[in-house]
Amino acid sequence: PSLPQGWSAEKDFKPVGGLSAATQRNIEPVGPYFLAHARRKRHNRTFSEDERL
Amino acid sequence: MGDAANGVAERFAIGISFGNSCSSIARISPDGKAEVIANEEGDRQIPTVLSYIEGEEYHGTQAKSQLIRNSGNTVAYFRDYLGKDFKSIDPTPCHASAHPQQSDSTVAFSIRDSPSETPNSVTVSEITTRHLRRLKQSATDFLGKDVNAAVITVPTDFSDAQREALVAAAKNAGIDVLQLISEPVAAVMAYDARPEATVTDKLTVVADLGGTRSDVAVVACRGGIYTILATAHDYELGGASLDQVIIDHFAKEFQKKHQVDPRQDVRGLAKLKLEGEATRKALSLSTNSQLSIESLTNGIDFGSTVNRTRFELLSGKVFSQFTGLIEQAVQKANLDVLDIDEVIFSGGTSHTPKIAHLARNIFPEKTAILAPSTLTSAINPSELSARGAAFQASLVQEFDHEDIEQSIHPMVTVTPHLSKAIGVEFTSSTETTFQPLLNAETALPARRIAHYSAPKEGGDVLVRVCEGARNIKVTKPEPKPKEEKPADDEDSDFSDEDDEEEEIREIVWKTEQPVAELAVKGVKAGSKVEVMVHVNPDLGLQIAVREVGGSSAVRGAINGSA
């Protein structure tokens, strides 16, 4: 969509709202993507930190 | 994680699917493909049956045929008794074999498993150990290496006590259980772990149709991470229900001819059961099947045929129970059949062509029905759990037990999931549309990147990131009333499908709540805009937008609330 006239924001970014509450669910401890997730969570790493290793 | 076990003897792990009716063993072949191992009799689906004659142990198909002449010393359908209290079990499947009995707090079978004439009371744990020992032996013989570890599949409703009992029984059989994984997820993984598969976001229904029970699970697959949204179980529905249809059909035919009901005779019934099952299985492969039993009852031989059409007519009621269970699971997950991207048919009874065809009619055309009769590239439904388990076994084989236990701890597995989809809203002169980028039920943290076409003329572009909700729009079949809403900021509809005239129900995305607005300036004509959204577990977001090929990106962050 084109930018409407008169739209402006600091650094071109305007936060408007937040997300609705998340639901707590149990993920299945299976598969390579889960193991990567577990590794990140246990070592408190972020995606990019994990990729660097 | 990932360190090889130090100082411990080398581990060699396989995948085991342990069922009430059948069990399978599988490994990952050197070229990375899952492979189900046949036992020394050539069976890949090994009946979960043990039988004893003069102290000698028979297993699998050999033991199963003993159900006719030696039913008292034959143990079958015991998986669901493991780790359970005697009062809470349903002994029905064991009517034709050794009966379960109470022994202290557990279940046992009274069988003559030694050369002596007096029967021994053997607990269900011990039976399981013996069964697993035979499976381990078959795998070891085939692979030429001592198999000493495994990942075993269990139903989603297996309690902690049942899990512990299974791990203990396996340990006694010399199998180190690395992990117990649930059957539906193993089935999904059997498909996703194929080299040609790509990781996508999808909602999958796994219909595990077994011999004596059937389980259906709705699984959300998001970026390779699986979450079970709902399950439905039927403990009386399975291949045995279809066998009963065949048994009744032939028994009536026999009765008409000879005025004797073979079902009244214990041995006659056992023979009918065994042969009826074989007939039913043959009907999944061919349109005609025969049954012949020597000396069915009163020394009379019996031979007859049945065709698939006839069988399907007689089984109509049972078939609708299967499809009913699938619909029930989808409903339990608060979903509509339109939301389902694929249906995986798993378990031996899934070979029945009619069940997959009936499912085909329930789900929309875009839903993939993964069963042998509807998709030629489908994996053998009987092998799915074992293949998934083998795949997981190959992943965790190198890990320490401590590593695995920490990883499957609720601290790790309980994760916030998005309750609503996050996407990008497009406003054109006529309508506002919403395209989901992160689907609802995505486990956090998560990151998605997508490319969107910028307006043809280029220029400055506004990207609105919003939360959206999926609605089902019911349209009357006649002249379709086109939604002509003004491009309202908060409230607008769009159908993301090229709908056909006869289509009545469709998915409609509705923007619910805006999250952020970003501007990309000076986009070239015909160019694309890349949107990256990263959501943290605390619901904070980072959003970055840039022109594809461009160097500078507009980014921003929103703090999480939780």
Side-chain angles (χ1 to χ4, degrees):
Chain A
S2 298
L3 198 63
Q5 293 275 313
W7 190 93
S8 73
E10 197 185 335
K11 286 182 179 167
D12 292 340
F13 178 80
K14 182 156 78 179
V16 192
L19 298 176
S20 18
T23 40
Q24 291 290 332
R25 287 186 188 276
N26 217 341
I27 59 176
E28 291 297 308
V30 168
Y33 295 89
F34 167 77
L35 292 173
H37 162 81
R39 191 173 61 227
R40 285 191 295 270
K41 194 147 175 177
R42 285 171 56 204
H43 300 292
N44 260 324
R45 287 191 207 131
T46 63
F47 276 114
S48 45
E49 280 166 7
D50 197 55
E51 276 160 13
R52 274 203 296 275
L53 287 165
Chain B
M1 223 192 291
D3 306 334
N6 297 323
V8 186
E10 204 191 335
R11 243 199 226 141
F12 194 66
I14 57 163
I16 298 179
S17 89
F18 173 31
N20 278 310
S21 317
C22 277
S23 300
S24 293
I25 43 183
R27 62 116 178 209
I28 299 298
S29 66
D31 57 345
K33 283 185 182 141
E35 190 176 79
V36 174
I37 301 168
N39 70 356
E40 51 285 355
E41 290 170 73
D43 291 322
R44 286 189 169 75
Q45 279 70 56
I46 304 160
T48 307
V49 187
L50 284 167
S51 184
Y52 296 89
I53 305 169
E54 310 270 331
E56 201 173 334
E57 185 181 78
Y58 293 86
H59 181 241
T61 307
Q62 285 189 354
K64 195 172 180 179
S65 57
Q66 294 297 326
L67 282 169
I68 296 169
R69 301 172 59 194
N70 186 26
S71 59
N73 296 314
T74 303
V75 188
Y77 306 108
F78 54 84
R79 199 268 318 264
D80 280 354
Y81 301 157
L82 194 63
K84 274 201 163 174
D85 184 40
F86 180 74
K87 287 182 198 78
S88 62
I89 65 162
D90 171 20
T92 323
C94 287
H95 273 336
S97 57
H99 294 195
Q101 292 168 340
Q102 181 155 15
S103 152
D104 299 328
S105 61
T106 164
V107 180
F109 297 90
S110 176
I111 45 170
R112 290 207 324 263
D113 62 343
S114 66
S116 101
E117 284 293 302
T118 45
N120 291 322
S121 175
V122 185
T123 62
V124 67
S125 303
E126 173 60 20
I127 292 287
T128 306
T129 298
R130 292 179 190 178
H131 170 63
L132 292 174
R133 197 178 283 144
R134 296 293 295 251
L135 292 179
K136 168 190 150 99
Q137 194 55 47
S138 297
T140 300
D141 289 347
F142 181 87
L143 298 169
K145 268 191 195 166
D146 184 40
V147 171
N148 51 16
V151 168
I152 306 182
T153 61
V154 292
T156 50
D157 61 346
F158 235 44
S159 69
D160 287 343
Q162 285 175 292
R163 286 162 193 269
E164 277 164 30
L166 177 54
V167 171
K171 198 176 174 197
N172 289 336
I175 298 173
D176 182 13
V177 177
L178 302 177
Q179 198 185 343
L180 295 177
I181 64 172
S182 58
E183 286 167 352
V185 181
V188 178
M189 217 172 38
Y191 274 103
D192 283 358
R194 292 181 303 171
E196 66 266 33
T198 49
V199 175
T200 50
D201 284 4
K202 61 191 174 185
L203 283 170
T204 303
V205 170
V206 182
D208 186 351
L209 315 179
T212 55
R213 60 179 278 180
S214 292
D215 306 276
V216 180
V218 182
V219 185
C221 311
R222 303 286 186 236
I225 290 186
Y226 308 113
T227 307
I228 294 183
L229 300 180
T231 57
H233 309 276
D234 190 324
Y235 302 104
E236 271 143 40
L237 182 66
S241 323
L242 293 171
D243 293 344
Q244 195 57 46
V245 172
I246 294 272
I247 291 168
D248 289 342
H249 168 73
F250 283 125
K252 277 178 198 150
E253 196 177 311
F254 186 85
Q255 203 171 3
K256 230 181 251 168
K257 262 189 199 157
H258 306 287
Q259 282 72 48
V260 198
D261 186 352
R263 289 170 293 184
Q264 302 295 333
D265 172 28
V266 177
R267 207 169 271 193
L269 182 63
K271 283 181 183 174
L272 262 178
K273 264 198 179 140
L274 201 66
E275 294 301 323
E277 189 185 329
T279 307
R280 193 252 305 167
K281 285 181 178 164
L283 283 176
S284 297
L285 296 171
S286 69
T287 51
N288 238 305
S289 177
Q290 48 189 331
L291 169 122
S292 66
I293 301 172
E294 253 176 61
S295 177
L296 177 53
T297 289
N298 296 355
I300 310 166
D301 293 352
F302 178 65
S304 182
T305 59
V306 65
N307 64 30
R308 192 188 279 174
T309 319
R310 172 107 206 164
F311 164 67
E312 285 172 353
L313 274 174
L314 293 167
S315 312
K317 224 173 126 190
V318 183
F319 287 150
S320 62
Q321 283 176 282
F322 283 115
T323 51
L325 195 66
I326 293 171
E327 288 175 306
Q328 190 192 328
V330 174
Q331 243 170 40
K332 255 185 165 175
N334 284 324
L335 294 171
D336 190 273
V337 288
L338 290 173
D339 296 316
I340 305 301
D341 298 297
E342 64 180 22
V343 181
I344 294 179
F345 274 97
S346 165
T349 306
S350 297
H351 287 281
T352 315
K354 187 74 178 178
I355 298 178
H357 289 147
L358 289 171
R360 176 77 282 169
N361 297 338
I362 297 175
F363 289 94
E365 236 171 90
K366 68 160 181 83
T367 306
I369 307 283
L370 308 180
S373 60
T374 50
L375 189 76
T376 44
S377 62
I379 302 176
N380 182 346
S382 307
E383 297 186 348
L384 286 171
S385 305
R387 282 166 176 247
F391 187 64
Q392 180 70 7
S394 74
L395 289 176
V396 298
Q397 177 159 241
E398 305 289 309
F399 294 177
D400 292 342
H401 265 281
E402 201 187 322
D403 265 341
I404 298 172
E405 252 151 55
Q406 279 181 15
S407 297
I408 63 176
H409 191 272
M411 282 279 286
V412 175
T413 58
V414 176
T415 308
H417 286 60
L418 286 180
S419 51
K420 290 194 176 121
I422 300 174
V424 177
E425 189 185 75
F426 295 87
T427 316
S428 69
S429 49
T430 49
E431 55 182 0
T432 306
T433 67
F434 177 86
Q435 285 191 15
L437 181 56
L438 281 122
N439 282 302
E441 308 300 353
T442 300
L444 302 178
R447 176 169 60 180
R448 292 291 185 280
I449 297 169
H451 292 178
Y452 299 102
S453 300
K456 273 194 201 80
E457 63 276 15
D460 295 350
V461 173
L462 172 74
V463 177
R464 274 188 112 221
V465 177
C466 301
E467 267 192 345
R470 181 278 288 153
N471 293 319
I472 305 284
K473 184 169 92 174
V474 184
T475 319
K476 299 276 174 294
E478 289 94 37
K480 271 183 67 182
K482 261 281 181 219
E483 301 251 0
E484 282 292 350
K485 276 194 182 174
D488 189 334
D489 266 4
E490 292 295 320
D491 205 0
S492 40
D493 279 353
F494 170 68
S495 56
D496 62 345
E497 285 177 342
D498 287 329
D499 24 47
E500 291 155 35
E501 278 309 303
E502 58 267 51
E503 191 151 30
I504 303 170
R505 304 173 74 240
E506 60 188 332
I507 287 181
V508 166
W509 285 95
K510 195 166 143 61
T511 309
E512 292 242 306
Q513 184 183 317
V515 176
E517 292 181 343
L518 296 94
V520 194
K521 291 189 175 145
V523 176
K524 281 189 218 81
S527 176
K528 285 189 169 181
V529 172
E530 181 184 87
V531 179
M532 193 277 289
V533 177
H534 179 103
V535 188
N536 295 332
D538 65 354
L539 293 177
L541 291 113
Q542 283 108 47
I543 306 169
V545 183
R546 67 185 180 101
E547 185 185 349
V548 172
S551 51
S552 62
V554 179
R555 34 181 106 244
I558 293 173
N559 291 331
S561 47

